[in-house]
Amino acid sequence: MNGSAGTSPQRHFDPIAVEVFTNRLLAITESMASNIMRASFSPQIKERRDFSVGMFDHLGRLIAQGTHIPVHLGSLMGSVEAVLARWRAEDIADGDVYICNDPYAAGGTHLPDISIITPVFVAGRLVAFAANIGHHSDVGGAVPGSTSASARTMYEEGLRIPVMRVARSHRIDDDLIGLIALNSRLPQERSLDLRVQIATNAKGAAAIRALIDRMGGVAFFRDAVDGVLSYTSQRLRHRIAALPAERATFTAWLDDDGTGEGGRVPLTATVYRQDGSLVVDLDGSGPQSRGGLNVSESALRATVYYCVKAMLDPELMANRGMADAIVIMAPEGSIVNPRPPAACGARTITCQRLAGAIIGALVSLVPRDRAIASSFDTMPTISFSGIHPETGRIYLSGETLGGGGGGRDAGDGMDAVHVHITNSRNLPTEVLEHEFPLFVEHYGYAVDSAGAGRHRGGLGIVRQVRALRDETIFSARSDSHLQGAAGAEGGGEGGRGRLVRNAGRDDEQILASKVRHLILAKGETIRIETPGGAGFGDPAARPYAALADDLRDGIITEATARRLYGDALADLAQRHIARDTP
């Protein structure tokens, strides 16, 4: 795969004009994001903000993405490309709206993420596309939530939607909306949220037309777009040219391929610069997953682009110009380039670990102030469903959880955060308990989960939920239960994940990292402990005052501090605490 369609010619840029124009574009996407968040009905979009918005030019080139979920960059790009592959520009009409979700037929990454694409016309000319993507709680399939790490093919994962018109002449196709809704366990929610997505694009399209009018017409808009994309490409190529002429390789490991069988799966990334571009070669990565951990092309592109932006130029605008400077090589039939109909539902587990591998390789090439140990590099997900006692209807509570960030040369890793290509919020306890027959018994930091180091890793999260009804269906997707995040420069491994049924009871049961359709009785609990980040630097070099702060704050217990940092440093920390205690 090659993101480049040819190197743009060098051109002069007015940095002030570029900055003003890009901020105008971002203002439109942020307004669209506010609309979709405020108007949506499902907690996934309204509370957890699992959605993204974007803007494309008439050629389908991404020109702006809202600051939301990085993996959605791939779906947004793929869906617009799928529209233009299906219809010629002259066959696209004002008032059309398109819908799709399929990873193989329509540029998606997994089926619950449904894209809505709206062409924007000015004086009868196609000038842009407004696009958004929302994670829908359920689109059918074998398990509630439509995502299972053990799914063998796409056909188990839900309704596959190719690129289709969902509106013509500004009139929504109610029959198509009804068909999609009927294939969901939550049909009303699907219908309402899809209509919100369509309305969000309509407001975005109006804002794009207003911007073009203020700029003086389509020609000025198109010239500005060309300038921003060329500027982004040239800026990234300058960053790439500054890298050493070396190859760097890093391998990260998945616990399994989703089935729980066959042992750990490698994800290997080799990065180097060549002919002005950055090459990311994934040769050596494991074979196509027998479960749902496969990464489609769109998800792969999004993951690579995120890593390059994060490590080389965090302020770089996410647009097509960035993609033009990157070449991606992925072996066919591997977990990072699967053959259809391989299941892709749990692709973020692999994307997160792959991001860790790419960043791990780039660490040795970038300036030291950007060096970082591995973060927890997964996306633990828990899901509860059943019949709601008040409505008699199916309910579905799904949530992704953060973990520990890696320690850095400049400081400790962040505690309890999402990393890499996910950026959704937690589901507030108050919302969870109000909306669903569930009770949160514990929610806090996973003590002792931080990898030791001169700068420690971040802490994972503990969430313990009790079922208040019989026949509660539980599913989970996690990883790093067998090995924690890899430390850097002598730093220690991050804490591992755990999933426990009925923790602390006589019938306590340690569960695998992937659980599908486990039936809970009233009063049973699920406890998930997410992994911590790895440490950076020799643990013996950690300042005793910093270790004292960790002990005082309950981040680490004394027994663990003595095991990881040694008795001498732990004694110094304890004396420091005693001296400061009245």
Side-chain angles (χ1 to χ4, degrees):
M1 297 172 215
N2 189 336
S4 177
T7 303
S8 302
Q10 296 287 319
R11 54 184 292 177
H12 173 72
F13 298 100
D14 179 343
I16 296 177
V18 169
E19 186 71 14
V20 169
F21 182 61
T22 56
N23 278 281
R24 283 178 170 176
L25 299 177
L26 289 174
I28 293 174
T29 62
E30 291 306 312
S31 177
M32 291 172 64
S34 178
N35 288 331
I36 194 171
M37 179 189 69
R38 293 175 183 274
S40 292
F41 291 81
S42 70
Q44 293 292 332
I45 297 176
K46 180 181 290 292
E47 299 290 348
R48 293 191 54 252
R49 303 190 184 182
D50 197 348
F51 69 87
S52 289
V53 299
M55 189 190 314
F56 296 76
D57 74 351
H58 66 295
L59 299 176
R61 300 179 299 178
L62 177 72
I63 55 178
Q65 181 193 13
T67 53
H68 298 100
I69 312 294
V71 74
H72 287 166
L73 169 65
S75 302
L76 290 170
M77 293 176 67
S79 61
V80 175
E81 289 168 358
V83 168
L84 291 172
R86 171 68 176 80
W87 283 283
R88 297 176 301 174
E90 54 265 34
D91 296 326
I92 297 173
D94 193 5
D96 283 351
V97 180
Y98 304 94
I99 187 171
C100 59
N101 74 345
D102 193 83
Y104 298 108
T109 64
H110 76 163
L111 298 182
D113 285 349
I114 299 180
S115 296
I116 299 292
I117 307 98
T118 302
V120 182
F121 285 80
V122 171
R125 299 169 66 187
L126 176 64
V127 295
F129 292 91
N132 69 66
I133 185 168
H135 179 94
H136 288 254
S137 302
D138 186 89
V139 290
V143 299
S146 309
T147 304
S148 168
S150 61
R152 299 289 178 142
T153 70
M154 293 290 298
Y155 303 112
E156 298 176 54
E157 297 188 305
L159 182 66
R160 302 178 66 180
I161 308 171
V163 179
M164 305 177 70
R165 282 190 177 96
V166 70
R168 297 171 186 264
S169 302
H170 304 285
R171 295 179 62 87
I172 294 175
D173 186 337
D174 293 324
D175 292 336
L176 180 55
I177 295 288
L179 184 148
I180 295 169
L182 185 63
N183 279 274
S184 170
R185 294 172 176 84
L186 305 168
Q188 184 179 38
E189 192 178 90
R190 294 292 70 68
S191 177
L192 294 171
D193 279 350
L194 287 173
R195 294 175 190 275
V196 168
Q197 287 183 255
I198 294 170
T200 294
N201 277 1
K203 293 183 72 68
I208 294 170
R209 286 192 290 269
L211 173 61
I212 292 173
D213 183 62
R214 286 198 302 272
M215 294 181 68
V218 174
F220 291 98
F221 175 76
R222 288 182 173 174
D223 184 65
V225 167
D226 287 341
V228 166
L229 300 188
S230 182
Y231 169 77
T232 301
S233 179
Q234 290 183 34
R235 177 168 159 170
L236 181 55
R237 289 183 190 278
H238 284 307
R239 301 288 187 271
I240 293 169
L243 295 176
E246 302 171 5
R247 291 176 179 245
T249 299
F250 190 97
T251 298
W253 297 84
L254 292 166
D255 285 353
D256 54 65
D257 70 352
T259 64
E261 304 169 356
R264 296 192 302 157
V265 178
L267 292 166
T268 298
T270 300
V271 295
Y272 55 94
R273 59 180 174 89
Q274 184 178 71
D275 299 329
S277 296
L278 185 73
V279 178
V280 179
D281 187 351
L282 305 178
D283 187 40
S285 296
Q288 183 169 307
S289 167
R290 295 168 297 168
L293 304 187
N294 295 292
V295 178
S296 68
E297 180 180 354
S298 291
L300 175 60
R301 288 194 294 172
T303 302
V304 172
Y305 299 158
Y306 155 78
C307 294
V308 174
K309 174 177 161 64
M311 295 301 288
L312 298 192
D313 193 342
E315 301 303 317
L316 193 69
M317 191 172 181
N319 60 40
R320 176 53 191 262
M322 179 175 64
D324 285 346
I326 302 169
V327 176
I328 305 171
M329 301 170 64
E332 186 178 0
S334 68
I335 194 170
V336 292
N337 186 10
R339 301 184 181 95
C344 298
R347 87 287 189 219
T348 45
I349 290 176
T350 308
C351 290
Q352 293 284 63
R353 187 71 81 247
L354 179 62
I358 297 169
I359 289 173
L362 285 169
V363 159
S364 63
L365 302 180
V366 299
R368 184 175 176 80
D369 61 1
R370 295 182 192 168
I372 185 171
S374 294
S375 297
F376 79 115
D377 293 354
T378 188
M379 193 185 73
T381 304
I382 54 175
S383 172
F384 299 88
S385 64
I387 303 299
H388 200 290
E390 295 180 5
T391 65
R393 299 174 183 167
I394 295 174
Y395 75 87
L396 178 61
S397 170
E399 179 178 15
T400 61
L401 294 143
R408 298 162 291 128
D409 181 58
D412 293 342
M414 295 181 69
D415 301 319
V417 293
H418 276 269
V419 297
H420 304 326
I421 53 94
T422 61
N423 192 33
S424 56
R425 297 192 172 193
N426 70 324
L427 186 62
T429 295
E430 297 81 1
V431 172
L432 186 150
E433 293 182 342
H434 180 266
E435 296 285 341
F436 312 112
L438 302 167
F439 180 77
V440 178
E441 294 191 337
H442 183 87
Y443 187 36
Y445 288 143
V447 176
D448 290 339
S449 62
R454 175 169 58 86
H455 291 134
R456 66 166 176 84
L459 292 175
I461 291 174
V462 175
R463 179 83 123 167
Q464 184 163 313
V465 181
R466 172 159 39 101
L468 300 181
R469 299 274 294 180
D470 287 330
E471 299 295 319
T472 298
I473 303 170
F474 172 73
S475 297
R477 305 182 303 282
S478 188
D479 207 73
S480 292
H481 286 208
L482 301 181
Q483 182 177 341
E489 298 196 9
E493 178 182 297
R496 301 177 188 182
R498 281 208 325 155
L499 195 60
V500 187
R501 182 181 189 178
N502 299 327
R505 293 176 18 173
D506 291 341
D507 58 348
E508 176 178 296
Q509 178 187 7
I510 304 298
L511 302 175
S513 60
K514 284 84 176 174
V515 176
R516 170 175 171 165
H517 216 277
L518 177 65
I519 306 298
L520 303 176
K522 179 180 178 180
E524 289 200 281
T525 65
I526 292 293
R527 178 184 179 90
I528 185 170
E529 300 173 7
T530 69
F536 187 99
D538 184 359
R542 185 162 180 78
Y544 68 84
L547 183 58
D549 287 342
D550 291 345
L551 286 163
R552 187 166 28 223
D553 294 339
I555 287 171
I556 190 172
T557 61
E558 182 178 349
T560 300
R562 292 186 180 279
R563 176 171 57 85
L564 298 181
Y565 290 95
D567 289 333
L569 191 59
D571 287 340
L572 284 172
Q574 289 290 12
R575 286 199 288 271
H576 183 78
I577 293 172
R579 187 175 64 247
D580 291 347
T581 301

